[in-house]
């Protein structure tokens, strides 16, 4: 162990004073919080939050030998020059490449186009490491993180002022405190959700997946975890400063996104429930285009919640300071579009209205004669595809009682039950037997992972990203109230399995890893990369994918790569120039298996004066 600087001088010691020379580090959470900037005005609250330190050894048994890779000169050959990546400047601390504000402003404002994904061309990509802000510390464990975020991690105050009356977030010394309030739930998110639960069957596993459009700081999604409901929340990069960043710091699933001109990056019939709480989406624009898109991603029998203007405009227009004629017309049009979509209105009280999508098309014969139906065979082809003013057809049923697309088991039984899309044979190349075998294999893989990275069974990792999720069996094997997994199905994957992942009660998103992910830096505590570099071998540079992984991985976050040995040798060389520590091990089935596993940890470092960095 080496300690740099004068032990009595916290400034010279830097934010992290401990590191292990002989391989991957063993970091202690409570010590780390104390050393990385300390507590000022927020001392008492922060100490209460962090009074229980957990076992934070990241990897064990650092010195054991592998049987492939190193001996062939693929990893540590001193003759191979390692490229050292320099840190980006301080202005890039919150850099989101495909949602850059300046680039976005060059696109049309019509239909929110300027808030959508606009990625930099190859010649404008950064090839440096995005730094963490000075004072950055590991987030508090869930559920403490739901309510408290270290101010140094997201040092933005505008919402504490702009939304002060609505009680979104408060700045208290070294902390940001999230009270669970919101524009539409002044009595707190719990009370608001309980009101919804009087109509929608939450808490019994029937409703598991939710979509929160225009999520703000995602308090709705944060408190839904109490009901064992997981929400995919999204909001644009610029409507309110750092709202999605706050959600992610709290440990709540969220991505940067907007209902604009392109389809949402989710499959059809994915969500049990969709929600808009004063989300400022023009639902009646473009002949109800955005309601049609919600209908596409909503399951048969799913619920749509709209709270805030124009609901109950008669009693609220004065408080909203909006013309009652406009509000009246807006609600009339929403009701008309909902009827056209064959949604049944189940509830309206105060500023909340709830509709339910019919379970099949048997009662929707009039709908089909009044709308343009989308091409069902093309319904999952959504990546950068324009939204269409058409209604997604229901899959066929044999009687009026059958749930279109198949009925799902309640969660958590849903997690390992045979998904209807597999049982029906609609997912080509995946049988019931291969699904069960996949489940079995990933349980074995995860068990082996936990023998090496013992933190997988603790609260150390809250947000996990699976870059090539397949059938979602990695996430299913990890399933725990302590964590959530963002399951990514690459757009170039052999099979489109994202709908099956949602059938299992998990969440995920489509993405092309040749581009940046729609998230802020330092979003994920843990990344799983199974076969991702084999998949993208001839598509884009390994270096670019690894730099993006570094951008979205938290300092001291962990990565597990699973791929061919020669590919992992190349990965190991690259990340050694990115301030990561690594160790390659054999496949669980022995050294003769060509696939290997590479464990890695991103070292702690932050931006320093004059754009230098502090590294420990």
């Amino acid at each position: 162990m080496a300690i740099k600087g004068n032990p009595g001088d916290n400034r010279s010691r830097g934010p992290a004073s401990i590191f292990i020379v002989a391989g991957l580090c063993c970091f202690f959470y409570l010590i780390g919080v104390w050393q990385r900037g300390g507590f000022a005005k927020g001392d008492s609250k922060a100490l209460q939050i962090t009074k229980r330190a957990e076992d934070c050894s990241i990897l064990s048994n650092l010195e054991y030998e592998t049987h492939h890779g190193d001996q062939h000169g693929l990893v540590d050959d001193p003759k191979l020059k390692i490229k050292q990546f320099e840190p980006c400047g301080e202005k890039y601390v919150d850099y989101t490449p495909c949602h850059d504000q300046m680039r976005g402003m060059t696109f049309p404002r019509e239909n929110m186009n300027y808030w959508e994904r606009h990625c930099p061309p190859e010649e404008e990509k950064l090839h440096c490491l995005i730094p963490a802000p000075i004072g950055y510390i590991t987030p508090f464990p869930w559920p403490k993180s739901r309510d408290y975020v270290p101010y140094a991690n997201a040092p933005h105050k505008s919402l504490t002022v702009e939304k002060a009356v609505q009680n979104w977030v408060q700045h208290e010394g070294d902390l940001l405190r999230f009270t669970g309030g919101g524009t539409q739930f002044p009595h707190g998110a719990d009370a608001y959700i309980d009101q919804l639960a009087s109509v929608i069957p939450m808490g019994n596993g029937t409703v598991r997946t939710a979509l929160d459009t225009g999520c703000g700081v995602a308090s709705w999604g944060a408190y839904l975890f109490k009901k064992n409901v997981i929400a995919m929340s999204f909001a644009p990069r610029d409507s309110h400063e750092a709202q999605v960043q706050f959600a992610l710091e709290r440990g709540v699933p969220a991505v940067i996104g907007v209902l604009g001109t392109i389809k949402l990056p989710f499959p059809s019939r994915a969500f049990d429930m969709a929600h808009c709480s004063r989300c400022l989406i023009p639902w009646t624009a473009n002949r109800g285009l955005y309601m049609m898109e919600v209908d596409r991603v909503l399951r048969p029998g799913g619920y749509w919640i709209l709270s805030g203007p124009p609901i109950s405009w008669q009693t609220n227009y004065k408080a909203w300071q909006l013309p009652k004629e406009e509000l009246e017309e807006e609600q009339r049009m929403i009701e008309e579009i909902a009827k056209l979509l064959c949604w049944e209105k189940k509830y309206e009280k105060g500023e909340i209205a709830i509709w339910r999508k019919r379970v099949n098309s048997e009662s929707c014969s009039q709908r089909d004669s009044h709308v343009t139906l989308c091409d069902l065979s093309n319904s999952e082809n959504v990546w950068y595809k324009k939204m269409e003013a058409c209604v997604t057809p229901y899959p066929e049923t044999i009687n009026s009682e059958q749930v279109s697309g198949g009925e799902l088991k309640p969660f958590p039984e849903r997690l390992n039950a045979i998904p209807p899309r597999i049982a029906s044979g609609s997912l080509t190349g995946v049988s019931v037997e291969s699904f069960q075998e996949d489940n079995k294999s990933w349980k074995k893989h995860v068990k082996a992972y936990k023998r090496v990275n013992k933190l997988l069974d603790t609260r150390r990792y809250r947000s996990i990203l699976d870059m090539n999720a397949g059938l979602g069996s990695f996430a299913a094997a990890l399933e725990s109230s302590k964590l959530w997994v963002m399951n990514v199905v690459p757009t170039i994957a052999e099979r489109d399995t994202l709908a099956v992942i949602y059938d299992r009660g998990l969440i995920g998103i489509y993405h092309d890893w040749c581009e940046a992910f729609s998230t802020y830096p330092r979003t994920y505590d843990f990344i799983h990369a199974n076969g991702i570099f084999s998949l993208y071998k001839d598509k884009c540079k390994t270096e670019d994918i690894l730099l993006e992984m570094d951008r979205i991985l938290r300092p001291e976050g962990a990565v597990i790569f699973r791929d061919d040995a020669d590919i992992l040798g190349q990965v190991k060389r690259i990340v050694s120039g990115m301030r990561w520590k690594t160790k390659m091990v054999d496949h669980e089935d022995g050294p003769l298996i060509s696939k290997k596993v590479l464990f890695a940890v991103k070292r702690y470092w932050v931006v320093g004066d004059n754009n230098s960095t502090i590294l420990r």
Side-chain angles (χ1 to χ4, degrees), residues 2 52 75 110 132 149 163 172 281 285 294 310 382 385 432 550:
R52 297 183 67 184
V75 178
E110 184 179 6
V149 166
K163 297 292 182 180
E172 300 179 356
I281 293 172
V294 169
V382 300
K385 293 297 187 294
V432 170
D550 183 83

Side-chain angles (χ1 to χ4, degrees), residues 165-323:
V165 176
Q166 296 164 9
N167 211 22
W168 282 20
V169 56
Q170 298 174 359
H171 181 216
E172 300 179 356
D174 287 345
L175 299 174
L176 293 166
R177 183 166 74 91
F178 296 84
T179 61
T183 309
Q184 290 305 123
F185 27 99
H187 302 297
D190 276 335
Y192 177 81
I193 290 170
D194 285 342
Q195 185 177 357
L196 301 181
S198 68
V199 181
I200 301 170
M202 302 183 203
N204 64 0
T206 302
V207 169
R208 165 63 179 174
T209 56
L211 179 68
D212 194 9
T213 57
C215 65
V217 296
S219 287
W220 188 69
Y223 282 80
L224 275 176
F225 278 108
K226 287 185 177 181
K227 302 285 189 184
N228 207 12
V229 175
I230 186 167
M232 172 70 79
S233 300
F234 72 84
R237 172 74 168 82
D238 272 347
S239 61
H240 297 302
E241 184 184 34
Q243 56 185 339
V244 170
Q245 187 177 25
F246 285 157
L248 294 163
E249 285 295 322
R250 297 174 73 183
V252 181
V255 292
I256 302 171
V258 65
L259 271 167
T261 67
I262 60 175
K263 294 181 179 182
L264 294 173
F266 313 117
S268 299
R269 309 192 322 272
F271 296 98
D272 301 318
M273 174 170 60
H275 174 256
C276 163
S277 171
R278 199 177 287 211
C279 61
L280 305 180
I281 293 172
W283 294 112
T284 60
N286 301 316
R287 297 181 294 165
L289 184 66
Y290 298 146
M291 289 178 68
M292 292 178 186
E293 180 65 358
V294 169
D295 181 75
R296 181 184 71 81
V297 301
L298 197 61
R299 290 189 186 284
Y303 296 85
W304 186 56
I305 305 150
L306 178 61
S307 66
I311 303 303
S312 298
W313 58 270
Q314 301 94 329
T315 55
N316 294 306
Y317 74 91
K318 289 184 179 179
W320 292 336
Q321 297 181 344
L322 295 170

Side-chain angles (χ1 to χ4, degrees), residues 80-194:
L80 293 173
K81 185 177 180 181
I82 293 175
K83 179 179 178 180
Q84 299 295 324
F85 292 88
E86 296 299 319
C88 304
E90 185 173 0
K91 68 178 182 178
Y92 294 107
V93 162
D94 289 332
Y95 183 53
T96 56
C98 296
H99 299 274
D100 180 70
Q101 299 174 21
M102 298 302 293
R103 181 178 296 106
M105 293 305 292
T106 65
F107 289 84
R109 299 178 70 86
E110 184 179 6
N111 294 327
M112 307 297 179
N113 179 267
Y114 70 118
W115 271 345
E116 293 182 307
R117 285 178 60 87
H118 299 291
C119 299
E122 185 65 32
E123 63 272 15
E124 292 182 20
K125 288 183 179 179
L126 297 181
H127 293 278
C128 50
L129 305 176
I130 302 298
I134 291 177
Y136 178 89
I137 64 173
T138 303
F140 304 124
W142 182 268
K144 303 297 184 183
S145 65
R146 186 195 67 187
D147 303 326
Y148 294 95
V149 166
Y151 178 70
N153 290 14
H156 305 294
K157 292 184 180 180
S158 67
L159 279 181
T160 67
V161 177
E162 183 181 343
K163 297 292 182 180
V165 176
Q166 296 164 9
N167 211 22
W168 282 20
V169 56
Q170 298 174 359
H171 181 216
E172 300 179 356
D174 287 345
L175 299 174
L176 293 166
R177 183 166 74 91
F178 296 84
T179 61
T183 309
Q184 290 305 123
F185 27 99
H187 302 297
D190 276 335
Y192 177 81
I193 290 170
D194 285 342

Side-chain angles (χ1 to χ4, degrees), residues 301-449:
Y303 296 85
W304 186 56
I305 305 150
L306 178 61
S307 66
I311 303 303
S312 298
W313 58 270
Q314 301 94 329
T315 55
N316 294 306
Y317 74 91
K318 289 184 179 179
W320 292 336
Q321 297 181 344
L322 295 170
K324 64 177 182 178
E325 294 80 9
E326 292 182 12
L327 291 168
E328 180 182 14
E329 176 63 11
E330 186 179 0
Q331 180 155 358
R332 185 194 68 79
M333 290 182 66
I334 287 173
E335 303 273 8
E336 187 176 292
I337 296 166
K339 186 176 181 180
L340 194 66
L341 293 170
C342 206
W343 295 356
E344 180 185 7
K345 194 169 190 181
K346 304 294 289 186
Y347 179 87
E348 183 176 322
K349 185 176 181 180
E351 298 178 22
I352 299 175
I354 301 174
W355 286 263
R356 190 182 186 206
K357 183 176 176 177
R358 306 277 184 174
V359 298
N360 58 43
S361 62
E362 292 295 318
S363 56
C364 300
S365 56
Q366 290 185 341
R367 180 201 72 168
D368 292 354
S369 63
H370 289 84
V371 299
T372 301
L373 294 177
C374 306
D375 180 1
L376 188 59
S377 65
N378 201 37
S379 61
E380 308 308 314
N381 186 16
V382 300
W383 187 246
Y384 283 126
K385 293 297 187 294
K386 293 286 186 182
M387 278 191 220
E388 302 173 82
C390 60
V391 177
T392 304
Y394 286 93
E396 292 184 5
T397 53
I398 59 175
N399 59 57
S400 60
E401 304 299 321
Q402 187 180 14
V403 177
S404 186
E407 190 167 3
L408 297 175
K409 303 285 187 183
F411 194 86
E413 186 181 353
R414 185 186 302 186
L415 187 64
N416 292 302
I418 306 301
R421 302 184 214 225
I422 292 178
S424 66
S426 59
L427 183 58
T428 304
V430 180
S431 64
V432 170
E433 293 74 21
S434 62
F435 171 78
Q436 292 172 329
E437 184 59 34
D438 189 70
N439 247 359
K440 182 179 178 181
S441 294
W442 279 105
K443 286 178 181 177
K444 182 181 73 172
H445 297 331
V446 168
K447 186 176 181 180
Y449 290 166

